Amino acid sequence: MSDATQSAAAIPARDPTYNFAYLDEQTKRMIRRALLKAVAVPGYQVPFAGREMPMPYGWGTGGVQVTASILTADDRLKVIDQGADDTTNAVSIRKFFQRTAGVAVTEKTAEASVIQTRHRIPEAPLADGQILVYQVPIPEPLRFLEPRETETRKMHAYQDYGLMHVKLYEDIARHGHIATTYAYPVKVEGRYVMDPSPTPKFDNPKMSDCPALQLFGAGREKRIYAIPPYTKVESLDFEDHPFTVQSWEQRCALCGAEDSFLDEVLTDDKGGRMFVCSDTDYCGDRRAQGFRGEAAEDAA
Amino acid sequence: MTSSSEDLDAQPLLAVEDLAKRYGRHMGCEAVSFRLWPGEVLGVVGESGSGKTTLLNCVAGRLTPDAGRVLYSDRLGAVRDLHGIAEPERRMLMRTDWAFVHQNPRDGLRMGVSAGANVGEPLMAVGARNYGAIRSAAGDWLAKTEIDVGRIDDPPRTFSGGMQQRLQIARSLAAGPRLVFMDEPTGGLDVSVQARLLDLLRGLVTELKLAVIVVTHDLAVARLLSHRLLVMRGGRVVETGLTDQVLDDPQHPYTQLLVSSVLQP
Amino acid sequence: MTDMLRLCDVSKDFVLHNQGGAEIPVLLGASLTVNAGECVALTGPSGAGKSTLMRMIYGNYLTPTGSIRIRHEGAMVELAGADPRRVLAVRRRTLGYVSQFLRVVPRVATLDVVAEPLIALGEGAEAARARAGDLLRRLNLPEALWPLPPATFSGGEQQRVNIARGFAHPYPVLLLDEPTASLDGANRAVVLELIGEAKARGAAIVGIFHDADARAAVADRTFEIAPLATAA
């Protein structure tokens, strides 16, 4: 794992040809207004005038616009993709903000003031004052069964949410259990049904009563929504098929953690594989504290 | 069929007062008034363009009329002005008290999800959260509408037209409505399939003591299903009465023409 | 003696709007009272309006002038110009009608066709079917036919189904339009027996009997309907 503070030195400080954090001030104000509304109405999708960003849709343009709008010169930014700080998407976005905003970056969850994420919530508990920004591909949880935007907006307005359970019903009918493991729908503060972006349902419980502010940006669909700190977030389920999170028989092969979300990694072309923490910072921290998994025994 | 429909002084379930709907200069329907009691089936007959579907949509809250009122007496006996109440309240009524059966089952079903989910959705929409209970209710409704319960996990696009229509009926009745609107329910079906569906509808309407407004251009369907008839022409009601009386002793010139124009009504 | 049915100055004409507004008078000033336990036979040549009068009593034809009152749940109720819901209520409890032709609902089993009036009155399905079965057995309709819809039956079989349906509930007033037509001697005797029993329990009956022997067997008196001169 590279040390982000070191690699930051290799990147030139803020490029003065860009406005701070790339977007112009009017645009940032507009997005902040949308964010305020989103915070005021937890789980409600606020439309905003999304801008073209210098990266393709699907690469986190929604999250980047949100981050750009809330970033200050004093912030310390962490960017993760599938829990890892060192994947292409995470590295590009981190470099983007180093270049356009000159902000400090970090891989340490605890040190970051703003964390932009795709597909995961860090394992380490978030704290008061932190902001978690999610990149969202499809913000509408009802889209699966109702293609008309006019209709889904009314369904939200009137809390007409029977359709959400149709999807879960279909899961059970087909697989014997609720097979939805990503983008598992939640109800926010007893009101709006929300798509938590394609995070694994493993992370759903972390959204509830979380000290950090959670912001969601969908670039293609131009929607922003939010979960304010300490908000109740419930995963939808049936009485006789209650919500459960994934669990693994294995522990992390590197740090031995048994409470984190594990990725399966192929180690050779003969079927060798191991399970490791998807959250690279969490795994590294544990190893630094002396925890060891099976595969890491020798390396220690 | 019920004691309530015999109580002539009972409060009507539905009172339509002087309803009118125009499409620009063209009249959809005008000056339509009628009342409907629990357990009663009202047939609305007329040719294409007579305004019967416009009337149905206005009464069912799917179209906003330009004039007139639709008064519905809810389960607690309170009278609610359908087009005067807020949309959330109207939608809630439509979920809990009313159902609509479309001529084309595709308009009333979710073709991509299983038959069981189609029937279960209205239950989930009113708060059912027990999968086992929802599924067994769906199974009961499939049996009631003569659909093999083994097809519960198949999507309706794999069903025949008659089965799709029966499934739509199962879905519309699952949440226990008091009032059902039907728009040409036997429309695009083969004659033999029609007969089966009519028989099924008759049985369900009697068993569940439903109030029904059924729009049809088919006088034979109207005769079999409805207690009373409204005959519409040019957006207006030209004749009303007991179904067999209107068909066997029609008074209005248009009704006489209509009755004499069909083979064995 | 209790009057069950009172017709007072009843007239009827048909206006055929699509044939130049031709007016066809059918009945003029018919008045008739039928008491409990009495059977009145309508007589008169074919086309004189016997069936029309019967249909007017049933509410199947409108009664434009005159009054038709029936004893329904203890009180005399006006049927001419009555609310359709009132007519239906009277038909359900008080007024039975055996027409000449059975109008069958497709696909409904014979046993259920006969039991239907009882079920509509709130009787349990089992009891209603048992009563239906008794009547069908009495009318010699083979039990093998009971589960079948009557659409494909012979005329005589359909007529017996029709009669069973009409007699399933003990209506206080009964209208019988040619109940013995197309029946063989044995079954005709059963029908006459049923009519006799209905009279004995106090039913008021209005009948059209083409068959003079049958008429003589059950009718207490006749009511002659004279043909009107056909209007130009």
Side-chain angles (χ1 to χ4, degrees), chain A residues 141 144-145 162-185 201 204 236-238 240-244 246, chain B residues 112-118 124 131-132 134-135 152-154:
Chain A
F144 170 74
L145 290 165
L163 202 52
M164 260 352 287
H165 276 84
V166 169
K167 186 174 185 294
L168 301 180
Y169 172 98
E170 286 290 83
D171 260 10
I172 303 172
R174 211 169 291 157
H175 308 288
H177 61 276
I178 298 178
T180 301
T181 51
Y182 285 83
Y184 191 106
K201 65 176 180 176
N204 275 19
L236 303 182
D237 60 3
F238 288 104
D240 47 349
H241 287 267
F243 173 80
T244 53
Q246 298 103 314
Chain B
V113 306
S114 70
N118 265 289
M124 295 185 248
Y131 173 83
I134 293 165
R135 190 171 173 83
I152 192 167
D153 292 328
D154 296 343

Side-chain angles (χ1 to χ4, degrees), chain B residues 1 5-8 37 40 146 195-196 199 202 223 227 242 244-245 248-249 251 253 256-257 265, chain C residues 12 14-18 59-62 84-88 91-93 103 106-108 116 120:
Chain B
M1 305 274 149
S5 70
E6 281 183 27
D7 181 0
L8 297 179
W37 280 265
E40 199 181 26
E146 303 176 16
R196 181 177 186 185
D199 172 34
R202 263 172 58 97
R223 187 191 283 274
H227 299 115
L242 202 61
D244 60 280
Q245 179 264 304
D248 295 339
D249 186 19
Q251 305 295 304
Q256 291 188 354
L257 180 68
Chain C
K12 175 76 176 171
F14 289 106
V15 182
L16 305 181
H17 293 283
N18 299 300
N60 180 228
Y61 285 178
L62 283 184
R85 292 171 60 232
R86 183 179 295 280
V87 177
L88 286 176
R91 285 183 183 180
R92 207 172 290 131
R93 297 205 173 274
R103 197 183 277 280
R107 245 174 45 101
V108 179
E116 195 187 21

Side-chain angles (χ1 to χ4, degrees), chain C residues 93-105:
Chain C
R93 297 205 173 274
T94 305
L95 182 61
Y97 176 38
V98 176
S99 63
Q100 270 178 287
F101 303 101
L102 178 63
R103 197 183 277 280
V104 290
V105 180

Side-chain angles (χ1 to χ4, degrees), chain B residues 11-208:
Chain B
Q11 192 175 17
L13 189 67
L14 192 75
V16 173
E17 295 179 352
D18 219 12
L19 209 66
K21 175 75 185 173
R22 289 171 205 90
Y23 299 106
R25 274 184 305 168
H26 176 74
M27 191 217 299
C29 63
E30 188 154 275
V32 178
S33 299
F34 64 85
R35 293 188 292 170
L36 185 72
W37 280 265
E40 199 181 26
V41 181
L42 178 71
V44 180
V45 298
E47 294 169 326
S48 310
S50 62
K52 56 191 194 300
T53 297
T54 296
L55 172 65
L56 188 75
N57 284 326
C58 285
V59 175
R62 296 159 54 83
L63 268 181
T64 306
D66 296 314
R69 296 198 297 173
V70 177
L71 301 174
Y72 172 70
S73 169
D74 68 17
R75 285 176 210 263
L76 301 172
V79 175
R80 302 214 247 170
D81 179 348
L82 185 66
H83 295 284
I85 57 178
E87 189 169 358
E89 201 182 334
R90 186 160 58 240
R91 283 198 167 214
M92 183 55 88
L93 269 186
M94 287 176 180
R95 286 208 290 266
T96 58
D97 285 37
W98 296 19
F100 200 101
V101 176
H102 299 263
Q103 173 172 8
N104 187 343
R106 288 177 174 275
D107 296 334
L109 292 173
R110 294 190 191 281
M111 300 304 283
V113 306
S114 70
N118 265 289
V119 179
E121 184 183 346
L123 297 171
M124 295 185 248
V126 295
R129 291 293 178 267
N130 187 298
Y131 173 83
I134 293 165
R135 190 171 173 83
S136 92
D140 289 349
W141 275 106
L142 292 186
K144 258 191 186 143
T145 48
E146 303 176 16
I147 296 170
D148 175 8
V149 179
R151 304 290 305 267
I152 192 167
D153 292 328
D154 296 343
R157 60 183 145 74
T158 65
F159 288 9
S160 69
M163 273 173 78
Q164 286 181 3
Q165 194 57 300
R166 294 202 300 281
L167 182 65
Q168 192 194 183
I169 288 162
R171 174 180 162 98
S172 67
L173 299 182
R178 304 167 73 211
L179 177 56
V180 183
F181 301 93
M182 299 184 184
D183 187 8
E184 304 275 7
T186 60
L189 301 176
D190 292 342
V191 177
S192 61
V193 178
Q194 268 195 29
R196 181 177 186 185
L197 192 73
L198 282 173
D199 172 34
L200 181 77
L201 280 174
R202 263 172 58 97
L204 289 173
V205 163
T206 310
E207 184 192 332
L208 305 170

Side-chain angles (χ1 to χ4, degrees), chain A residues 18-85:
Chain A
Y18 293 104
N19 190 39
F20 179 78
Y22 185 78
L23 291 174
D24 65 273
E25 294 305 311
Q26 285 302 334
T27 298
K28 288 195 275 188
R29 265 185 218 121
M30 174 271 293
I31 292 175
R32 281 184 215 126
R33 280 195 294 272
L35 286 168
L36 284 173
K37 184 168 178 181
V39 169
V41 192
Y44 172 71
Q45 298 167 49
V46 182
F48 78 108
R51 297 291 192 253
E52 294 297 319
M53 298 302 285
M55 61 188 75
Y57 288 126
W59 283 65
T61 55
V64 166
Q65 288 180 80
V66 170
T67 300
S69 304
I70 59 166
L71 216 51
T72 66
D74 303 331
D75 274 316
R76 186 172 290 272
L77 179 68
K78 171 182 164 77
V79 183
I80 50 174
D81 174 9
Q82 306 274 13
D85 296 81

